[in-house]
Amino acid sequence: MWRAYLRAPSEGFGGFDYRDRSVVVVGIPIDFTSSYRSGSRFAPSAIREVSQSIELCSVCGNCVVEEAGIDDLGDLVPVPGDVERSLEIVEEMAMEIAREGKRIIAIGGDHTVTQALYSGVSKGVGEEPCILVIDAHLDLRNELVGRYSHATCMRRLLERAQPPAIVWFGVRAFSSEELKEARRIDVPHVVVKSIDVLRDPSDAIARASRGLECCRKLYLSIDVDGFDPAFAPGVQTPEPVGIHPIHFVELLQSINVEVVAADIVEVSPPYDRGGSTAALGARLVVEIAAKIYEQMGEMKVRGW
Ligand SMILES: [Mn+2]
């Protein structure tokens, strides 16, 4: 059913042809509950475009993505204006792909898409993966532009029957309602604030990593506003005093838990003068895909 909503890309991520690979990119251009600087519906095409020109070896020298490639399904364009129906379709897609043993890297859209992706992936892999969230925000509001939006996505996720253990990394913007909610969370969770990362990166990364030690599988959700606006200016809700991309790269390297899916959300191309945010989005796809292939042991990893 969800395939009816799929639009093939004019050129796949990284310029690869479709070959039934283990890592799958899909764009989810949903931003109709954005409250500010909307435009993340244009992120999948902006990220695809810049992906044609970036190198496909990881910044650490791992060239597995260049060798193995990535499949690009194109964009899943559900029902404009109907957020709940759209999320059902996204969930169905994520479930089916995860069930095939493939690893989705979804490109948003705004953060609203995460709960549906997570829900589908957890059904597909048959368990609730832990979740690592890179974000300036906690997204724990009960309502903002309705119950399903970019500002409520983690609240909805933690309302699941079996809420996942969760690690936030790079947080620096929250309301008193969200702080109250954060204190109520009764699953293992760690909040690593961006100021802690900036003051002592090794200690902060170790703390986040330790928070994932109890996990068997991991879902990665990257809201690019977690990075400082110097690196990611083109986002819906910019917040100063954010992390550097290298902090994420080092955190990713330190993770020993199996990454089963990821999303990269909140790139807003209309506000991305110079295109550095889309370039960061494309770079994140490559780094995460490299990590997944390395963990799957599918390819001989060569580095220098
Ligand atoms: Mn955010």
Side-chain angles (χ1 to χ4, degrees):
M1 179 59 187
W2 60 272
R3 287 186 189 272
Y5 296 91
L6 206 55
R7 286 187 202 150
S10 51
E11 197 161 17
F13 184 93
F16 296 113
D17 298 328
Y18 194 94
R19 280 198 210 150
D20 204 20
R21 297 173 171 101
S22 306
V23 176
V24 168
V25 161
V26 60
I28 306 182
I30 292 179
D31 68 354
F32 39 81
T33 58
S34 289
S35 55
Y36 185 51
R37 308 209 329 166
S38 59
S40 60
R41 71 182 62 189
F42 303 113
S45 47
I47 289 173
R48 254 184 218 111
E49 187 187 327
V50 67
S51 79
Q52 312 302 327
S53 72
I54 66 166
E55 293 292 352
L56 298 161
C57 293
S58 83
V59 292
C60 310
N62 170 355
C63 290
V64 65
V65 175
E66 190 187 274
E67 294 168 24
I70 294 175
D71 283 341
D72 190 341
L73 288 181
D75 288 350
L76 191 62
V77 188
V79 189
D82 188 343
V83 66
E84 290 186 44
R85 178 67 191 127
S86 294
L87 293 181
E88 281 169 20
I89 294 162
V90 171
E91 180 175 337
E92 199 186 311
M93 178 275 298
M95 181 178 70
E96 200 176 305
I97 294 177
R99 199 167 271 164
E100 288 168 7
K102 297 189 176 184
R103 314 292 167 98
I104 303 169
I105 302 178
I107 304 172
D110 75 13
H111 220 156
T112 314
V113 301
T114 298
Q115 56 189 307
L117 287 163
Y118 178 87
S119 185
V121 168
S122 67
K123 286 178 185 164
V125 301
E127 61 182 279
E128 306 271 319
C130 294
I131 179 162
L132 168 62
V133 186
I134 311 296
D135 202 336
H137 310 92
L138 290 170
D139 295 340
L140 285 174
R141 285 175 196 271
N142 191 38
E143 282 195 20
L144 193 94
V145 203
R147 278 177 54 79
Y148 297 97
S149 79
H150 65 96
T152 65
C153 57
M154 291 305 141
R155 178 92 165 235
R156 296 291 93 83
L157 215 136
L158 293 170
E159 285 170 352
R160 297 173 61 77
Q162 287 177 286
I166 181 165
V167 171
W168 278 276
F169 191 79
V171 171
R172 57 195 181 277
F174 32 77
S175 66
S176 52
E177 177 199 353
E178 290 176 293
L179 281 186
K180 207 170 128 202
E181 185 60 21
R183 282 188 213 106
R184 281 194 336 122
I185 297 170
D186 61 357
V187 290
H189 67 283
V190 175
V191 180
V192 181
K193 295 197 284 292
S194 66
I195 197 154
D196 298 334
V197 183
L198 295 168
R199 280 179 178 147
D200 188 345
S202 324
D203 178 70
I205 289 164
R207 210 145 44 85
S209 246
R210 275 200 305 277
L212 300 172
E213 275 171 4
C214 60
C215 308
R216 286 164 25 94
K217 295 187 189 303
L218 182 64
Y219 182 102
L220 257 175
S221 181
I222 305 179
D223 179 335
V224 292
D225 71 27
F227 299 100
D228 193 83
F231 309 107
V235 298
Q236 178 179 184
T237 48
E239 281 285 349
V241 198
I243 64 170
H244 188 294
I246 194 63
H247 297 135
F248 172 72
V249 171
E250 289 190 356
L251 175 58
L252 189 65
Q253 281 192 316
S254 76
I255 290 170
N256 293 316
V257 190
E258 184 188 5
V259 178
V260 290
D263 64 55
I264 295 158
V265 297
E266 298 282 346
V267 173
S268 189
Y271 299 90
D272 192 21
R273 284 190 200 151
S276 55
T277 318
L280 177 61
R283 172 50 54 200
L284 293 170
V285 172
V286 173
E287 299 303 317
I288 294 165
K291 177 75 181 185
I292 291 172
Y293 278 129
E294 195 183 317
Q295 288 184 332
M296 291 177 101
E298 277 202 357
M299 307 290 290
K300 192 170 181 296
V301 177
R302 289 192 292 273
W304 48 267

